[in-house]
Amino acid sequence: MSEKNALKKFCRFNADGRTYNGVLRGSMVDIVEGDIFGTLSDMRMSYPANRVKFLPPITPTKIWCVGRNYAGHVRELGNDLPKEPLIFMKPLSTLAGSGDPVRIPDWAGRVDYEGELAVVIGRKCRKVTEFEALSYVKGYACFNDVTARDLQIDNHWTRAKGFDGFGPFGPAILLTDKMPDDARITTRLNGSVMQQDVFANMIFTVARIIAFISRFATLDAGDIIATGTPEGIGRVQPGDTVEIEIDGIGLLSNPFISD
Ligand code: MG
């Protein structure tokens, strides 16, 4: 795809003491006015991407998550395949941008990365069919559903997944209603590939997940749905860096530190 016709990648960032909306374009970030729910106007000013601090590209009102959505991951944790999407939530205080250090409390036990595709909802919706669901999608980003695995064992999912900063999100939202089935998600721990899969291997599609949630709850513009992690989860320790890369979206990178 040529740069001219490429899908836009919307981001928010800090530079020179100010906060901007931007469009990520290769190694540059162009400053724009407006947001993803309206129009984006190019302000003809850019920063090199490596000189800005990325923020979560939007602030949602809710962070939805899907558990056990790739068969390989279901097997690696010894669980049964779900018959319908397993839905849980993370508090907004988990949100972090690319580059933000993720704090691991010393009492949390084993803490894992979980590389995931996040859907960003574009319009409020309720009781939508699977057929129409993707028309409510604004775009997609990388998400790390960081999980205190030892604490999850007793079904304390909200605590295990709800620590401050346990939801790195970004670096940008690729503005499209559907990711290609053969797009890859890759998670690297200190540069080594730990997870790699394609979205065709999701048990429940994005459309199915949106239809499922919207039957019981209203999805609002800006809500995030993290769609589950593929096989290959693993422990992360202070000093490690986790990178989640999705074809067409970019790289979400976060160092982990002790707390
Ligand atoms: Mg997860």
Side-chain angles (χ1 to χ4, degrees), residues 66 88 114 116 145 161 228-229:
V66 182
F88 61 95
E114 290 190 1
E116 306 196 7
D145 175 22
K161 290 171 173 285
T229 201

Side-chain angles (χ1 to χ4, degrees), residues 175-190:
L175 301 179
T176 180
D177 60 357
K178 187 175 185 334
M179 291 297 289
D181 282 342
D182 61 352
R184 272 175 320 176
I185 180 166
T186 303
T187 305
R188 295 186 201 86
L189 175 65
N190 302 325

Side-chain angles (χ1 to χ4, degrees), residues 13-28:
F13 63 94
N14 285 341
D16 294 333
R18 290 188 58 184
T19 299
Y20 297 101
N21 290 350
V23 169
L24 188 56
R25 183 175 50 84
S27 60
M28 302 297 288

Side-chain angles (χ1 to χ4, degrees), residues 9 53 90 100 102 105 119 132 137 162 180-181 224 226 228 234:
K9 295 192 266 188
K53 167 68 193 75
K90 287 169 90 95
D100 283 334
V102 180
V119 183
E132 63 189 341
V137 171
D181 282 342
I224 299 171

